[in-house]
PDB file of all heavy atoms in Angstrom:
ATOM      1  N   ALA A  30      11.438 -17.503  -7.915  1.00 42.00           N
ATOM      2  CA  ALA A  30      11.430 -17.105  -6.508  1.00 42.00           C
ATOM      3  C   ALA A  30      11.709 -15.614  -6.360  1.00 42.00           C
ATOM      4  O   ALA A  30      11.051 -14.913  -5.585  1.00 42.00           O
ATOM      5  CB  ALA A  30      12.465 -17.916  -5.728  1.00 42.00           C
ATOM      6  N   THR A  69      14.497  24.512  10.331  1.00 91.00           N
ATOM      7  CA  THR A  69      14.193  24.337  11.751  1.00 91.00           C
ATOM      8  C   THR A  69      13.236  25.421  12.230  1.00 91.00           C
ATOM      9  O   THR A  69      12.284  25.139  12.980  1.00 91.00           O
ATOM     10  CB  THR A  69      15.485  24.361  12.585  1.00 91.00           C
ATOM     11  OG1 THR A  69      16.305  23.257  12.212  1.00 91.00           O
ATOM     12  CG2 THR A  69      15.169  24.266  14.073  1.00 91.00           C
ATOM     13  N   GLU A  71      10.953  27.043  10.536  1.00 93.00           N
ATOM     14  CA  GLU A  71       9.612  26.779  10.021  1.00 93.00           C
ATOM     15  C   GLU A  71       8.941  25.628  10.752  1.00 93.00           C
ATOM     16  O   GLU A  71       7.766  25.702  11.104  1.00 93.00           O
ATOM     17  CB  GLU A  71       9.679  26.482   8.516  1.00 93.00           C
ATOM     18  CG  GLU A  71       9.934  27.700   7.653  1.00 93.00           C
ATOM     19  CD  GLU A  71       9.803  27.379   6.168  1.00 93.00           C
ATOM     20  OE1 GLU A  71       9.193  26.341   5.838  1.00 93.00           O
ATOM     21  OE2 GLU A  71      10.303  28.153   5.342  1.00 93.00           O
ATOM     22  N   LEU A  75       5.464  25.559  13.132  1.00 92.00           N
ATOM     23  CA  LEU A  75       4.357  24.630  12.925  1.00 92.00           C
ATOM     24  C   LEU A  75       4.056  23.848  14.202  1.00 92.00           C
ATOM     25  O   LEU A  75       2.890  23.672  14.576  1.00 92.00           O
ATOM     26  CB  LEU A  75       4.708  23.672  11.788  1.00 92.00           C
ATOM     27  CG  LEU A  75       3.639  22.652  11.378  1.00 92.00           C
ATOM     28  CD1 LEU A  75       2.350  23.367  10.975  1.00 92.00           C
ATOM     29  CD2 LEU A  75       4.138  21.797  10.233  1.00 92.00           C
ATOM     30  N   SER A  84       2.784  14.067  21.793  1.00 90.00           N
ATOM     31  CA  SER A  84       3.884  13.820  22.717  1.00 90.00           C
ATOM     32  C   SER A  84       3.983  12.324  23.006  1.00 90.00           C
ATOM     33  O   SER A  84       2.975  11.616  22.912  1.00 90.00           O
ATOM     34  CB  SER A  84       3.669  14.605  24.018  1.00 90.00           C
ATOM     35  OG  SER A  84       2.503  14.125  24.687  1.00 90.00           O
ATOM     36  N   ASN A 102      15.854  23.323  22.053  1.00 95.00           N
ATOM     37  CA  ASN A 102      15.856  23.461  23.507  1.00 95.00           C
ATOM     38  C   ASN A 102      15.182  24.756  23.937  1.00 95.00           C
ATOM     39  O   ASN A 102      14.398  24.774  24.899  1.00 95.00           O
ATOM     40  CB  ASN A 102      17.287  23.402  24.042  1.00 95.00           C
ATOM     41  CG  ASN A 102      17.873  21.992  24.012  1.00 95.00           C
ATOM     42  OD1 ASN A 102      17.169  21.024  24.303  1.00 95.00           O
ATOM     43  ND2 ASN A 102      19.138  21.874  23.660  1.00 95.00           N
ATOM     44  N   ARG A 129      23.898  14.886   3.107  1.00 68.00           N
ATOM     45  CA  ARG A 129      24.761  15.632   2.191  1.00 68.00           C
ATOM     46  C   ARG A 129      25.237  16.911   2.859  1.00 68.00           C
ATOM     47  O   ARG A 129      24.440  17.686   3.381  1.00 68.00           O
ATOM     48  CB  ARG A 129      24.024  15.994   0.899  1.00 68.00           C
ATOM     49  CG  ARG A 129      24.881  16.724  -0.133  1.00 68.00           C
ATOM     50  CD  ARG A 129      24.130  16.950  -1.429  1.00 68.00           C
ATOM     51  NE  ARG A 129      24.978  17.562  -2.435  1.00 68.00           N
ATOM     52  CZ  ARG A 129      25.104  18.882  -2.617  1.00 68.00           C
ATOM     53  NH1 ARG A 129      24.395  19.721  -1.860  1.00 68.00           N
ATOM     54  NH2 ARG A 129      25.902  19.366  -3.552  1.00 68.00           N
ATOM     55  N   LEU A 160       3.811   9.301  14.102  1.00 96.00           N
ATOM     56  CA  LEU A 160       3.808  10.311  13.043  1.00 96.00           C
ATOM     57  C   LEU A 160       5.202  10.859  12.825  1.00 96.00           C
ATOM     58  O   LEU A 160       5.927  11.136  13.780  1.00 96.00           O
ATOM     59  CB  LEU A 160       2.859  11.457  13.448  1.00 96.00           C
ATOM     60  CG  LEU A 160       2.819  12.713  12.586  1.00 96.00           C
ATOM     61  CD1 LEU A 160       2.170  12.415  11.239  1.00 96.00           C
ATOM     62  CD2 LEU A 160       2.056  13.823  13.303  1.00 96.00           C
ATOM     63  N   ALA A 176      10.941   4.952   8.026  1.00 96.00           N
ATOM     64  CA  ALA A 176       9.583   4.865   8.563  1.00 96.00           C
ATOM     65  C   ALA A 176       8.691   4.038   7.636  1.00 96.00           C
ATOM     66  O   ALA A 176       7.857   3.244   8.091  1.00 96.00           O
ATOM     67  CB  ALA A 176       9.004   6.267   8.748  1.00 96.00           C
ATOM     68  N   LEU A 179       9.423   0.397   8.041  1.00 94.00           N
ATOM     69  CA  LEU A 179       8.811  -0.155   9.249  1.00 94.00           C
ATOM     70  C   LEU A 179       7.425  -0.725   8.932  1.00 94.00           C
ATOM     71  O   LEU A 179       7.038  -1.779   9.450  1.00 94.00           O
ATOM     72  CB  LEU A 179       8.709   0.946  10.311  1.00 94.00           C
ATOM     73  CG  LEU A 179       8.834   0.518  11.779  1.00 94.00           C
ATOM     74  CD1 LEU A 179      10.212  -0.058  12.062  1.00 94.00           C
ATOM     75  CD2 LEU A 179       8.564   1.709  12.699  1.00 94.00           C
ATOM     76  N   VAL A 190       4.045  12.881   7.216  1.00 97.00           N
ATOM     77  CA  VAL A 190       3.485  14.170   6.784  1.00 97.00           C
ATOM     78  C   VAL A 190       4.640  15.068   6.348  1.00 97.00           C
ATOM     79  O   VAL A 190       5.541  15.364   7.143  1.00 97.00           O
ATOM     80  CB  VAL A 190       2.688  14.863   7.908  1.00 97.00           C
ATOM     81  CG1 VAL A 190       2.164  16.214   7.435  1.00 97.00           C
ATOM     82  CG2 VAL A 190       1.538  13.966   8.362  1.00 97.00           C
ATOM     83  N   LEU A 201       9.128  22.122  -6.412  1.00 95.00           N
ATOM     84  CA  LEU A 201       9.400  21.382  -5.186  1.00 95.00           C
ATOM     85  C   LEU A 201      10.905  21.289  -4.947  1.00 95.00           C
ATOM     86  O   LEU A 201      11.703  21.331  -5.879  1.00 95.00           O
ATOM     87  CB  LEU A 201       8.823  19.966  -5.278  1.00 95.00           C
ATOM     88  CG  LEU A 201       7.305  19.823  -5.406  1.00 95.00           C
ATOM     89  CD1 LEU A 201       6.930  18.354  -5.497  1.00 95.00           C
ATOM     90  CD2 LEU A 201       6.580  20.498  -4.254  1.00 95.00           C
ATOM     91  N   LYS A 225       0.211  22.180  -9.916  1.00 94.00           N
ATOM     92  CA  LYS A 225       1.158  21.259 -10.539  1.00 94.00           C
ATOM     93  C   LYS A 225       1.060  19.859  -9.947  1.00 94.00           C
ATOM     94  O   LYS A 225       1.300  18.861 -10.634  1.00 94.00           O
ATOM     95  CB  LYS A 225       2.593  21.776 -10.367  1.00 94.00           C
ATOM     96  CG  LYS A 225       2.938  22.960 -11.242  1.00 94.00           C
ATOM     97  CD  LYS A 225       4.400  23.314 -11.086  1.00 94.00           C
ATOM     98  CE  LYS A 225       4.793  24.459 -12.009  1.00 94.00           C
ATOM     99  NZ  LYS A 225       6.229  24.800 -11.867  1.00 94.00           N
ATOM    100  N   TYR A 231      -3.373  21.664  -0.090  1.00 94.00           N
ATOM    101  CA  TYR A 231      -3.097  23.099   0.016  1.00 94.00           C
ATOM    102  C   TYR A 231      -3.916  23.691   1.145  1.00 94.00           C
ATOM    103  O   TYR A 231      -5.147  23.648   1.122  1.00 94.00           O
ATOM    104  CB  TYR A 231      -3.414  23.804  -1.298  1.00 94.00           C
ATOM    105  CG  TYR A 231      -3.329  25.313  -1.211  1.00 94.00           C
ATOM    106  CD1 TYR A 231      -2.127  25.950  -0.909  1.00 94.00           C
ATOM    107  CD2 TYR A 231      -4.464  26.114  -1.433  1.00 94.00           C
ATOM    108  CE1 TYR A 231      -2.043  27.322  -0.821  1.00 94.00           C
ATOM    109  CE2 TYR A 231      -4.382  27.500  -1.354  1.00 94.00           C
ATOM    110  CZ  TYR A 231      -3.180  28.093  -1.061  1.00 94.00           C
ATOM    111  OH  TYR A 231      -3.093  29.470  -0.959  1.00 94.00           O
ATOM    112  N   ILE A 235       0.921  28.155   6.377  1.00 85.00           N
ATOM    113  CA  ILE A 235       0.727  27.599   7.726  1.00 85.00           C
ATOM    114  C   ILE A 235       1.920  27.821   8.638  1.00 85.00           C
ATOM    115  O   ILE A 235       1.901  27.412   9.804  1.00 85.00           O
ATOM    116  CB  ILE A 235       0.408  26.097   7.655  1.00 85.00           C
ATOM    117  CG1 ILE A 235       1.531  25.323   6.983  1.00 85.00           C
ATOM    118  CG2 ILE A 235      -0.913  25.871   6.946  1.00 85.00           C
ATOM    119  CD1 ILE A 235       1.310  23.823   6.973  1.00 85.00           C
TER     120      ILE A 235
END
Side-chain angles (χ1 to χ4, degrees):
T69 297
E71 286 188 18
L75 183 57
S84 65
N102 286 321
R129 182 175 184 269
L160 172 70
L179 212 64
V190 178
L201 297 179
K225 286 185 177 181
Y231 172 63
I235 60 176

